[in-house]
Amino acid sequence: MELVLIAIGCGLLAVVYGIVTSGQVLRQPAGNQKMQDIAAAIQEGAQAYLGRQYTTIGIVGVVVAVLVFLFLGTVAAVGFVVGALLSGVAGYIGMNISVRANVRTAEAARVSLQGGLTTAFRSGAITGMLVAGLALLAIASFFYVLVGIQGRAPDDRTVIDALVALAFGASLISIFARLGGGIFTKAADVGADLVGKVEAGIPEDDPRNPAVIADNVGDNVGDCAGMAADLFETYVVTVGATMVLTALLVNTDVASLTALMALPLLVGGVCIITSIIGTYMVRLGKGQSIMGALYKGFWTTAILSIPLIYFATAYALGDLNAVIGGGEAAGLDVTGAVAEQTAGFTGMDLFWCMMIGLGVTGLLVWITEYYTGTNYRPVKSIAKASETGHGTNVIQGLAISLESTAMPTIVICAAIISSYLLAGLIGIAFAATSMLALAGMVVALDAYGPVTDNAGGIAEMAHMEDEVRTRTDALDAVGNTTKAVTKGYAIGSAALAALVLFGAYTTDLKEFSADLGIGANSVDFSLSNPYVVVGLLLGALLPYLFGAMGMTAVGRAAGNVVLDVREQFRDNPGIMDGTSRPNYARTVDLVTKAAIREMIIPSLLPVLTPIVVYFLIAWVAGKEQGFAALGALLLGVIVSGLFVAISMTSGGGAWDNAKKYIEDGNYGGKGSEAHKAAVTGDTVGDPYKDTAGPAVNPMIKITNIVALLLLAALAGHGG
Amino acid sequence: MELVLIAIGCGLLAVVYGIVTSGQVLRQPAGNQKMQDIAAAIQEGAQAYLGRQYTTIGIVGVVVAVLVFLFLGTVAAVGFVVGALLSGVAGYIGMNISVRANVRTAEAARVSLQGGLTTAFRSGAITGMLVAGLALLAIASFFYVLVGIQGRAPDDRTVIDALVALAFGASLISIFARLGGGIFTKAADVGADLVGKVEAGIPEDDPRNPAVIADNVGDNVGDCAGMAADLFETYVVTVGATMVLTALLVNTDVASLTALMALPLLVGGVCIITSIIGTYMVRLGKGQSIMGALYKGFWTTAILSIPLIYFATAYALGDLNAVIGGGEAAGLDVTGAVAEQTAGFTGMDLFWCMMIGLGVTGLLVWITEYYTGTNYRPVKSIAKASETGHGTNVIQGLAISLESTAMPTIVICAAIISSYLLAGLIGIAFAATSMLALAGMVVALDAYGPVTDNAGGIAEMAHMEDEVRTRTDALDAVGNTTKAVTKGYAIGSAALAALVLFGAYTTDLKEFSADLGIGANSVDFSLSNPYVVVGLLLGALLPYLFGAMGMTAVGRAAGNVVLDVREQFRDNPGIMDGTSRPNYARTVDLVTKAAIREMIIPSLLPVLTPIVVYFLIAWVAGKEQGFAALGALLLGVIVSGLFVAISMTSGGGAWDNAKKYIEDGNYGGKGSEAHKAAVTGDTVGDPYKDTAGPAVNPMIKITNIVALLLLAALAGHGG
């Protein structure tokens, strides 16, 4: 349990970092009165939205908590509530820092680019460390209480179910937050652009546009709070699933098993330390390259993590060359067909698997930068296609979005094979865990984006010098890439985590077979079983349907924004003269209501589908085929979700930066026909990259977790 | 063999229908000299393109034929050549009728809507009957020669390999023709629109636009010849795969097996008769509804097919309640896990499976009409979204394209389950066969579209009365829906056919296990095998990469068209005054070269990927895992391809008709801002629906067939 206590210590360190750095950020000058007024309006809107969002989610959460309590007992219900609450807290604090850092970033950018970068990045780092720290604290403390204090065996069913329920709580909040925030931010953004830039011919972030505050609120509730909840979920699910799978598969004594289950926590802990060190390396070099500055932080963290993960593994497991587990340990196949692979693995094997995870993270960062950065072929090709009009811009953007799935898929396939060869399914789980161990740093890179975006908006609205806007724009362009990076990283880790969850599902099926009333190996997951094919197809459908709902929701809500703004312009002509202040709060309120209304049905889709599919197929063809179809559905949703999510997030980032590339003076620059076409592409990319695409990640996890809980409930684990 | 002879007779009947109806069409008046000149230019361009395309494909074909000969022997090589040649012939004749019917349709539309419809539909029906007839003749005659004349057993390996090779020939030509034609038609279309409508401000099909002839050529080589080759392939592969699977799985005496293998041919034969009857029912009713007229033909065919399929089944199998096969017959699972389902099936079960196939066809037609017709929510929602600009048009179009996958998937899943419950995998095969039996009618509905599109172009260029253009536009709008219908139908049948091909793959693996040097049940297709997951992911990647290549190719080729036309306008100012004739042939030639160059690499992707994946995984993890990954790749490509193809073809059709809906006077009509936005959506939809989307269908089949041939080659089947 000492290992778990170290992890808890590291988690607390992250919280302390958050508090100290918050103090630093808040002590910075907040600019003049006008800037502070604008920031206050944004802050108020964001708090009002989050308040209402969490109330709505709270109602759903209470209902689900009662169900979890009834079907799975008290400990699981407590796990669910802890996961849900901390997920909400991570998003809430992140948003609160972000709405205070925006105006300070604008003020700091008045002095220098470095100043703006430091303030914005620190704010991002606070969110990052809190996400990783709280996630680690949640799992580690819960495990400590159940195993260390209450003295349960680490592979006790109560512990396993509680970890799964904790992950469920985090996921459920996260899908609502990601989708609700995503709809809010893009409805406001698209609506504001359409009615402001296109119809009224006023620039982006013009204070005369009643939707402009809503747009800035959106950055905070979507790109910051929603993203933080999403990554919190990814962390908890991945680390939790690794621990659960270890408990289910590894046959060894209690002390060794406890150490092995604590290892992911310890790795997460040491990587918080390397992430904190990394944050201090984010400094502009001679070339004033912002991406370069961020990379310094990222690579410092990644490289320092290598020795620390090695020492952590050695410390936890002792002899790195001793064989652990054996028997079922590395074998994946419930039918036992892959007999030669059940030979166990060593600590050194696990270390290499974790190195693979770090390698995947690095490669995904690099690939995403290639597809969304302004220096490379993809973005330039979209910018060039804009010369021949709106249509060719969109065609080329769609082509790039389809193409951008190829390299990540190949990297993920290589990671699956190599970590499986090293240590079987447990190897894949540890690769996923080490990916997530860097979450603090990755979230920091991402969360800095919306702060700079907001800072730019404030600079525009407060009529600050052009230089400030130029600096915040430069920071923001890099933010588009880092935002896409986080999404690619989250979905990539989801592909590995989903395999782990599927492994847990098949193992549970076998273990519960008597309780479920089926034969021990009677569920046929072979591709030759047509119910498996049906499951794959229905699973593959989910991201499409979910994406359709998300896109439609944004379109509809943006349409409402347009109508509202038109009405304000008509009823109050003073707005356009600048003599009268628009009613910002009314637009914020409208978007808030629309986002909350629109998020509910799509969020419930992945919760209800596994249950409906199981009962339907079981009714038609028997329980065994129901479980087969349900298992296949879990893989179908990841096989299709990976592509839908990557294509949407990379494609959207590329469109956005193609516009920025033109605004930098290429192909005619701002105001040219090419620019107009690029604005269309950017608008299309908005809901792609910030609403539908990123929400696929929690959706995949929810589907998997609901299936696991359904199994536990059907097997009658009350208690 | 009598059954096969009846099928051959029906195939010949289709050819006779083609000849007779061609005479009727060609005897119709071809209009004035101006119209004939334009038609001649289109004809010349189409012939030049197809000539060059078939030369290029011929070179690839000869290389592949030699490889097939070396690895699989003479009979298989002959099968390959026959399949390839007839696929080419079907496309070539279809195109030749189409380029002659276009001008006659324009002339007939001068008199009445019914006249235009009759001429265009007859031309489509010729293509339809030739596609179905030649496909049926190819398989039936080949089977007759090998089994009836040469006296081989119907499940002799030579017969099976030859049928697979025949399908391979058809598929290989088809992917080149679909993709090459698709790139040609959309490069010309998009290029002509961009430089004509958008830049020069001249209307669509204006004779001053040098790309206008290329655009009309494209309708013939892409939507007619390419589509015909595609459906020929779909027919041959589906019926061929059903026969192959029957030979592999059903344990019965030679006479019963021959009858069962001949049944798909007989069903195809009788449905040619019902299709021919159906073509005579296409008449406008009182409401002058064009879709209604086409539906009369379709429903007549579908309903008449029910009793005829019943009698054909009874005639072929005798007692419809006798149990056939048993043993392995209905069991899918190579590991034998699904023991209770190996009970055999009756003729009546097969009849019901074929009814399921007809039901799926009807439902897919209906769903596609809902998503692409101008009377329903989806198209109207895109039209409405155009009011707020280009961006919202595209967002809503993408949302609809994602959504349009849901109902077809559910229908296909229901069909898989119900036909499997009736007669196992053989049941699924017969459901797919009966879908394809209606191909003659479905192709007729589709091939009528490009003829009316061309007729409209000719009417515009020859300055015919506005009324003619109004009539051809009305015909063309329905053509957009029927084109989407065919694609949805082809990809839907591909989902079933791919399952059948996968069944053939697993059965072959088991049968060849000794020759392949693996254990009889040593290949683990379980979803818990990570190599299966890797195969699924790599398979799922193929349609994305292929789609990206197709979209990029169109964008690049369209860009070249824009440059060429700009140069012609600059060098020859007389063109815009109407005093000088543009150099149409130069643009046609440019698009021809571009299309041929761009089609090669994407077409080879599905041919080479299965081979590369097998050898790579076999090298890393052993032969067994290589075969597992390859098998999973086959399912991955269909699981993802189904969604990519349906979303692209339905989405593209919806965008096109949203534009037409606005042009009909809604949301401001022609020339309004909404119309401009809708034109953007239409441009985006063009390569979606006519290049990348439809080519996914042959791509799926090629991947599967290459895998089957690879198995045969590795097992050392030289002839």
Side-chain angles (χ1 to χ4, degrees):
Chain A
M1 280 296 114
E2 182 204 16
L3 302 170
V4 181
L5 285 176
I6 299 176
I8 293 178
C10 292
L12 291 173
L13 183 68
V15 175
V16 170
Y17 172 90
I19 296 169
V20 171
T21 313
S22 295
Q24 287 179 338
V25 170
L26 295 178
R27 272 195 304 277
Q28 284 191 251
N32 59 35
Q33 192 55 42
K34 182 145 199 185
M35 289 163 69
Q36 295 193 26
D37 284 351
I38 297 165
I42 297 173
Q43 199 172 319
E44 198 183 310
Q47 264 157 348
Y49 173 73
L50 274 201
R52 219 181 300 178
Q53 175 182 283
Y54 284 135
T55 310
T56 309
I57 301 179
I59 297 168
V60 178
V62 168
V63 173
V64 176
V66 170
L67 291 174
V68 171
F69 170 75
L70 289 178
F71 285 105
L72 296 166
T74 320
V75 179
V78 171
F80 172 81
V81 172
V82 169
L85 278 183
L86 283 182
S87 167
V89 167
Y92 200 79
I93 298 183
M95 183 279 289
N96 263 301
I97 292 301
S98 175
V99 293
R100 286 172 176 80
N102 52 11
V103 65
R104 291 168 172 85
T105 299
E107 180 64 20
R110 192 202 289 266
V111 183
S112 68
L113 184 62
Q114 176 71 59
L117 173 62
T118 304
T119 310
F121 182 75
R122 274 190 190 154
S123 156
I126 296 165
T127 306
M129 293 314 144
L130 284 180
V131 164
L134 290 179
L136 186 62
L137 277 178
I139 321 174
S141 323
F142 205 48
F143 188 69
Y144 185 74
V145 169
L146 292 177
V147 178
I149 297 179
Q150 300 190 348
R152 294 176 210 262
D155 58 352
D156 185 296
R157 255 296 145 188
T158 311
V159 177
I160 293 175
D161 287 353
L163 286 174
V164 175
L166 181 80
F168 183 46
S171 287
L172 191 69
I173 299 309
S174 151
I175 193 166
F176 279 104
R178 237 324 175 187
L179 200 63
I183 294 171
F184 188 112
T185 179
K186 290 305 126 175
D189 190 359
V190 172
D193 281 1
L194 286 175
V195 78
K197 273 201 262 188
V198 182
E199 277 188 25
I202 54 178
E204 199 170 333
D205 293 322
D206 190 294
R208 288 172 294 176
N209 189 337
V212 74
I213 294 289
D215 183 11
N216 281 286
V217 168
D219 294 338
N220 293 294
V221 302
D223 300 345
C224 186
M227 181 275 296
D230 181 4
L231 271 286
F232 179 90
E233 177 268 354
T234 306
Y235 196 113
V236 170
V237 172
T238 307
V239 174
T242 303
M243 294 171 72
V244 166
L245 197 78
T246 306
L248 290 173
L249 285 186
V250 179
N251 292 323
T252 183
D253 57 293
V254 171
S256 307
L257 183 62
T258 311
L260 200 60
M261 284 177 75
L263 179 57
L265 300 172
L266 189 62
V267 168
V270 299
C271 288
I272 283 182
I273 300 175
T274 60
S275 297
I276 291 177
I277 299 173
T279 62
Y280 291 106
M281 297 299 147
V282 175
R283 273 205 200 94
L284 291 173
K286 274 187 198 161
Q288 296 281 304
S289 155
I290 302 165
M291 200 71 208
L294 297 175
Y295 269 169
K296 270 186 233 162
F298 175 76
W299 289 115
T300 304
T301 302
I303 290 168
L304 284 183
S305 297
I306 298 173
L308 280 190
I309 289 178
Y310 180 85
F311 293 126
T313 311
Y315 184 72
L317 304 183
D319 179 5
L320 282 183
N321 294 313
V323 173
I324 307 164
E328 283 184 298
L332 251 178
D333 196 314
V334 289
T335 67
V338 196
E340 78 272 29
Q341 275 158 340
T342 57
F345 51 86
T346 67
M348 206 59 208
D349 289 334
L350 289 186
F351 171 71
W352 284 117
C353 290
M354 290 191 271
M355 292 304 104
I356 289 169
L358 293 187
V360 170
T361 306
L363 285 170
L364 290 182
V365 168
W366 180 75
I367 294 167
T368 313
E369 199 206 335
Y370 174 74
Y371 274 101
T372 60
T374 47
N375 299 327
Y376 305 97
R377 175 189 60 86
V379 168
K380 285 183 182 170
S381 75
I382 298 175
K384 184 164 172 34
S386 312
E387 280 192 300
T388 37
H390 302 262
T392 39
N393 168 290
V394 177
I395 289 176
Q396 185 59 25
L398 286 172
I400 293 296
S401 84
L402 294 169
E403 186 195 307
S404 68
T405 58
M407 283 203 281
T409 305
I410 291 169
V411 166
I412 288 165
C413 286
I416 291 173
I417 291 178
S418 51
S419 51
Y420 181 75
L421 285 174
L422 283 164
L425 191 52
I426 298 282
I428 298 176
F430 273 87
T433 290
S434 75
M435 281 186 77
L436 262 296
L438 300 189
M441 190 66 200
V442 174
V443 172
L445 296 179
D446 182 325
Y448 119 102
V451 176
T452 63
D453 197 350
N454 255 244
I458 293 173
E460 188 84 30
M461 285 186 272
H463 305 297
M464 291 170 75
E465 307 89 313
D466 285 353
E467 214 180 7
V468 178
R469 180 73 204 219
T470 310
R471 287 181 186 144
T472 58
D473 268 356
L475 293 168
D476 190 28
V478 174
N480 280 330
T481 295
T482 58
K483 273 165 65 183
V485 162
T486 313
K487 291 163 197 161
Y489 159 84
I491 191 76
S493 75
L496 300 182
L499 282 186
V500 175
L501 289 166
F502 182 75
Y505 175 80
T506 54
T507 314
D508 266 1
L509 251 191
K510 199 171 156 191
E511 204 158 292
F512 297 165
S513 52
D515 292 336
L516 293 170
I518 56 173
N521 286 317
S522 63
V523 177
D524 174 22
F525 284 116
S526 166
L527 294 177
S528 332
N529 179 352
Y531 297 100
V532 166
V533 176
V534 166
L536 285 173
L537 287 173
L538 293 177
L541 172 59
L542 280 183
Y544 278 80
L545 204 50
F546 186 77
M549 288 176 175
M551 301 279 285
T552 311
V554 169
R556 199 155 39 202
N560 290 340
V561 171
V562 171
L563 296 178
D564 174 71
V565 172
R566 278 185 193 157
E567 204 177 288
Q568 292 208 29
F569 280 155
R570 199 181 51 231
D571 297 351
N572 185 353
I575 295 178
M576 280 307 263
D577 313 341
T579 56
S580 170
R581 197 167 168 269
N583 190 343
Y584 299 124
R586 186 173 115 178
T587 314
V588 170
D589 193 57
L590 179 140
V591 184
T592 299
K593 283 184 188 145
I596 301 227
R597 192 175 52 237
E598 300 277 2
M599 78 179 176
I600 296 184
I601 291 177
S603 297
L604 290 178
L605 186 71
V607 177
L608 298 179
T609 306
I611 301 172
V612 171
V613 167
Y614 166 73
F615 283 106
L616 205 66
I617 302 286
W619 174 66
V620 171
K623 275 186 206 173
E624 287 82 358
Q625 300 296 16
F627 290 123
L630 178 55
L633 180 124
L634 305 183
L635 275 184
V637 72
I638 179 71
V639 165
S640 135
L642 181 71
F643 293 93
V644 170
I646 294 183
S647 65
M648 286 183 168
T649 56
S650 289
W655 262 314
D656 198 342
N657 273 344
K659 186 192 70 174
K660 289 230 188 310
Y661 183 73
I662 291 179
E663 288 174 351
D664 288 347
N666 300 290
Y667 300 116
K670 256 188 177 171
S672 63
E673 285 302 312
H675 184 239
K676 281 184 199 154
V679 169
T680 294
D682 178 36
T683 308
V684 173
D686 271 342
Y688 239 49
K689 74 180 198 304
D690 289 324
T691 311
V696 168
N697 170 36
M699 196 203 75
I700 290 171
K701 259 75 74 69
I702 288 224
T703 317
N704 276 275
I705 294 172
V706 168
L708 280 180
L709 293 175
L710 179 66
L711 273 193
L714 288 173
H717 283 226
Chain B
M1 280 297 112
E2 181 203 17
L3 302 171
V4 181
L5 285 175
I6 299 176
I8 292 177
C10 294
L12 290 173
L13 183 67
V15 175
V16 170
Y17 172 90
I19 295 170
V20 171
T21 313
S22 295
Q24 287 179 338
V25 170
L26 294 179
R27 272 194 304 277
Q28 285 191 250
N32 60 35
Q33 193 54 42
K34 182 146 199 185
M35 289 162 70
Q36 293 193 25
D37 284 351
I38 297 165
I42 296 173
Q43 201 172 319
E44 198 182 309
Q47 264 157 350
Y49 173 73
L50 274 200
R52 219 179 301 176
Q53 176 183 282
Y54 284 134
T55 310
T56 309
I57 301 178
I59 296 169
V60 178
V62 168
V63 173
V64 176
V66 170
L67 290 174
V68 171
F69 170 74
L70 288 178
F71 285 105
L72 296 168
T74 319
V75 178
V78 171
F80 173 81
V81 172
V82 170
L85 278 183
L86 284 182
S87 167
V89 167
Y92 200 78
I93 299 183
M95 183 278 289
N96 263 302
I97 291 301
S98 174
V99 292
R100 285 171 177 80
N102 52 11
V103 64
R104 291 170 171 84
T105 300
E107 181 62 21
R110 193 201 289 265
V111 183
S112 70
L113 185 63
Q114 175 70 59
L117 173 62
T118 303
T119 310
F121 182 74
R122 274 190 190 154
S123 157
I126 296 165
T127 306
M129 293 314 144
L130 283 179
V131 164
L134 290 179
L136 186 62
L137 277 177
I139 321 174
S141 324
F142 205 47
F143 188 68
Y144 185 74
V145 169
L146 292 176
V147 178
I149 297 182
Q150 300 190 349
R152 295 176 209 261
D155 58 351
D156 184 298
R157 256 295 144 188
T158 312
V159 177
I160 293 175
D161 287 353
L163 286 174
V164 175
L166 181 80
F168 183 45
S171 287
L172 191 69
I173 300 309
S174 150
I175 193 165
F176 280 104
R178 237 325 176 186
L179 200 63
I183 295 171
F184 188 113
T185 178
K186 290 304 127 174
D189 189 359
V190 172
D193 281 1
L194 287 174
V195 78
K197 272 201 262 187
V198 182
E199 278 188 25
I202 54 179
E204 199 170 333
D205 292 321
D206 190 294
R208 288 172 295 176
N209 189 337
V212 74
I213 294 289
D215 183 11
N216 281 287
V217 168
D219 294 338
N220 293 294
V221 302
D223 301 344
C224 185
M227 181 275 295
D230 180 6
L231 270 287
F232 179 89
E233 178 268 354
T234 306
Y235 196 111
V236 170
V237 172
T238 307
V239 174
T242 303
M243 294 170 72
V244 166
L245 196 79
T246 306
L248 290 173
L249 285 186
V250 178
N251 292 323
T252 183
D253 58 294
V254 171
S256 307
L257 183 62
T258 310
L260 200 59
M261 284 176 77
L263 178 57
L265 300 173
L266 189 63
V267 168
V270 299
C271 289
I272 283 182
I273 300 175
T274 60
S275 297
I276 291 177
I277 299 173
T279 62
Y280 291 105
M281 298 296 148
V282 175
R283 272 206 200 94
L284 291 172
K286 273 187 199 160
Q288 296 281 303
S289 156
I290 303 165
M291 199 70 208
L294 296 175
Y295 269 169
K296 269 187 235 160
F298 174 77
W299 288 115
T300 304
T301 302
I303 290 167
L304 283 183
S305 297
I306 298 172
L308 280 189
I309 290 178
Y310 181 84
F311 292 126
T313 312
Y315 184 72
L317 305 183
D319 180 4
L320 281 183
N321 294 314
V323 174
I324 308 165
E328 284 184 297
L332 252 179
D333 196 315
V334 289
T335 67
V338 195
E340 77 273 27
Q341 276 158 339
T342 57
F345 51 86
T346 66
M348 207 57 208
D349 290 335
L350 289 186
F351 170 71
W352 283 116
C353 290
M354 290 190 271
M355 292 304 105
I356 290 168
L358 294 186
V360 170
T361 307
L363 285 170
L364 290 182
V365 169
W366 180 75
I367 293 167
T368 313
E369 199 207 334
Y370 173 73
Y371 274 100
T372 61
T374 47
N375 298 327
Y376 305 97
R377 174 190 60 87
V379 167
K380 285 184 182 169
S381 75
I382 298 176
K384 181 163 174 36
S386 310
E387 279 192 301
T388 38
H390 301 261
T392 39
N393 167 290
V394 177
I395 290 176
Q396 185 60 24
L398 286 172
I400 292 297
S401 84
L402 294 169
E403 186 195 306
S404 68
T405 58
M407 282 202 282
T409 305
I410 291 169
V411 167
I412 288 165
C413 286
I416 290 174
I417 292 178
S418 50
S419 50
Y420 180 75
L421 285 174
L422 283 164
L425 192 51
I426 299 283
I428 298 175
F430 273 86
T433 290
S434 76
M435 280 186 77
L436 262 296
L438 300 190
M441 191 65 200
V442 175
V443 172
L445 296 179
D446 183 325
Y448 120 102
V451 175
T452 62
D453 197 349
N454 254 247
I458 292 173
E460 189 85 29
M461 286 186 271
H463 305 296
M464 291 170 74
E465 306 89 313
D466 285 353
E467 212 180 10
V468 178
R469 180 74 203 218
T470 309
R471 285 181 186 144
T472 58
D473 269 355
L475 293 168
D476 190 29
V478 174
N480 280 329
T481 295
T482 58
K483 274 166 64 183
V485 162
T486 313
K487 292 163 197 161
Y489 159 84
I491 191 75
S493 75
L496 300 182
L499 280 186
V500 175
L501 289 166
F502 182 74
Y505 175 80
T506 54
T507 314
D508 266 1
L509 251 190
K510 199 172 157 190
E511 205 158 291
F512 298 166
S513 53
D515 292 337
L516 293 170
I518 57 173
N521 287 316
S522 63
V523 177
D524 174 21
F525 284 116
S526 165
L527 294 177
S528 333
N529 179 353
Y531 297 99
V532 166
V533 176
V534 166
L536 284 172
L537 286 173
L538 293 177
L541 173 58
L542 280 183
Y544 278 80
L545 205 51
F546 186 77
M549 288 177 176
M551 301 278 285
T552 311
V554 169
R556 200 155 37 202
N560 290 340
V561 170
V562 171
L563 296 178
D564 175 71
V565 172
R566 278 186 193 157
E567 205 178 287
Q568 291 207 30
F569 281 156
R570 200 182 50 230
D571 297 351
N572 186 353
I575 296 178
M576 279 306 265
D577 312 343
T579 56
S580 170
R581 199 168 168 266
N583 190 343
Y584 299 123
R586 185 172 116 179
T587 315
V588 170
D589 193 57
L590 180 140
V591 183
T592 298
K593 283 183 188 145
I596 301 227
R597 192 174 53 237
E598 300 277 2
M599 80 180 174
I600 297 185
I601 291 178
S603 297
L604 291 178
L605 186 72
V607 178
L608 298 178
T609 305
I611 301 172
V612 171
V613 166
Y614 166 72
F615 282 106
L616 204 67
I617 302 285
W619 174 66
V620 171
K623 274 185 206 173
E624 287 82 358
Q625 300 296 16
F627 290 124
L630 178 55
L633 180 126
L634 304 183
L635 275 184
V637 72
I638 179 71
V639 164
S640 133
L642 180 70
F643 294 93
V644 170
I646 294 183
S647 65
M648 286 182 168
T649 55
S650 290
W655 261 314
D656 199 342
N657 273 345
K659 186 191 71 173
K660 289 232 188 308
Y661 183 73
I662 290 179
E663 288 173 352
D664 289 346
N666 299 291
Y667 300 116
K670 256 188 178 170
S672 64
E673 285 302 313
H675 185 241
K676 283 184 197 153
V679 169
T680 294
D682 178 34
T683 308
V684 173
D686 270 343
Y688 239 47
K689 73 180 197 305
D690 288 323
T691 312
V696 167
N697 170 35
M699 196 202 74
I700 291 170
K701 259 74 76 63
I702 288 225
T703 318
N704 276 276
I705 293 172
V706 168
L708 281 179
L709 293 175
L710 179 66
L711 273 193
L714 288 173
H717 283 226

